[in-house]
Amino acid sequence: MEPIRVGIVGCGRISGLHALGYEGRKDARIDAVCDTKRARAREKAGAWGVEKVYAGYRELLADPEIDLVELLVPHHLHAAMTVGACEAGNHVSVQKPMALSIAEADAMIEAAERAGVTLRVYENFVFYPPHVRAKEMIDAGEIGEPQMIRMHVGTGKSETEWQVPL
């Protein structure tokens, strides 16, 4: 099976965490990076062993070797970039929040359906065990009707921790 060829758009701080998800995988690899700050894109490309570097989003979309576009860009760019990627025939992974309005979200979904591609909204805590358990308890009526949810997320140290650049 050929690996899914990924183009990461947006090489800011969060891109390092996403890149970790592709390390050592045989089914997917980062094939291109794109950032309006070309030096930052080159830096990430070098760190991740990626040869293709783009400064323009449309340039990356024109690359026929990209299967999936991972959008790590400001929220106001999600809708237009998602629609463009779908129209180019790419699968899309976009950060939460998906869009700034219901109309934008609907346009994104419609573009993916028209193109026959997958649109994924990346939410990192969907399968986090404490969240899953809380939802189970709410659904089962064990704790009544929630009026407010307050969360505290603690992080620790480990060999595989994500090094957050200052």
Side-chain angles (χ1 to χ4, degrees):
M1 178 177 106
E2 285 293 311
I4 297 168
R5 299 163 299 183
V6 179
I8 291 186
V9 180
C11 294
R13 185 174 77 114
I14 198 70
S15 67
L17 183 58
H18 284 255
L20 288 174
Y22 295 103
E23 275 186 14
R25 296 199 63 100
K26 294 190 185 322
D27 58 347
R29 70 172 184 254
I30 303 170
D31 253 28
V33 296
C34 175
D35 198 286
T36 55
K37 296 179 179 174
R38 190 177 282 277
R40 181 164 62 182
R42 278 194 206 107
E43 176 188 331
K44 297 293 177 140
W48 303 335
V50 174
E51 292 182 21
K52 297 177 185 177
V53 178
Y54 298 104
Y57 167 72
R58 296 274 176 211
E59 292 174 62
L60 184 137
L61 292 185
D63 184 337
E65 295 182 348
I66 298 300
D67 302 309
L68 172 122
V69 176
E70 185 148 2
L71 297 174
L72 308 177
V73 297
H75 305 147
H76 70 280
L77 300 174
H78 287 183
M81 287 186 162
T82 295
V83 170
C86 291
E87 289 173 349
N90 296 113
H91 302 289
V92 180
S93 175
V94 65
Q95 289 276 280
K96 60 15 180 159
M98 175 182 185
L100 299 182
S101 70
I102 299 275
E104 283 185 353
D106 287 344
M108 294 161 74
I109 293 166
E110 289 167 10
E113 288 174 349
R114 270 193 316 272
V117 298
T118 299
L119 169 60
R120 173 184 88 152
V121 179
Y122 180 83
E123 169 50 64
N124 50 330
F125 286 116
V126 172
F127 302 107
Y128 183 53
H131 293 183
V132 171
R133 179 66 183 123
K135 182 166 182 350
E136 289 170 352
M137 292 172 72
I138 292 167
D139 290 347
E142 294 177 27
I143 61 174
E145 183 70 27
Q147 301 300 307
M148 177 183 79
I149 295 175
R150 182 176 176 192
M151 295 178 7
H152 175 79
V153 177
T155 57
K157 296 280 186 186
S158 77
E159 291 179 17
T160 59
E161 71 184 346
W162 175 41
Q163 298 295 318
V164 180
L166 294 176

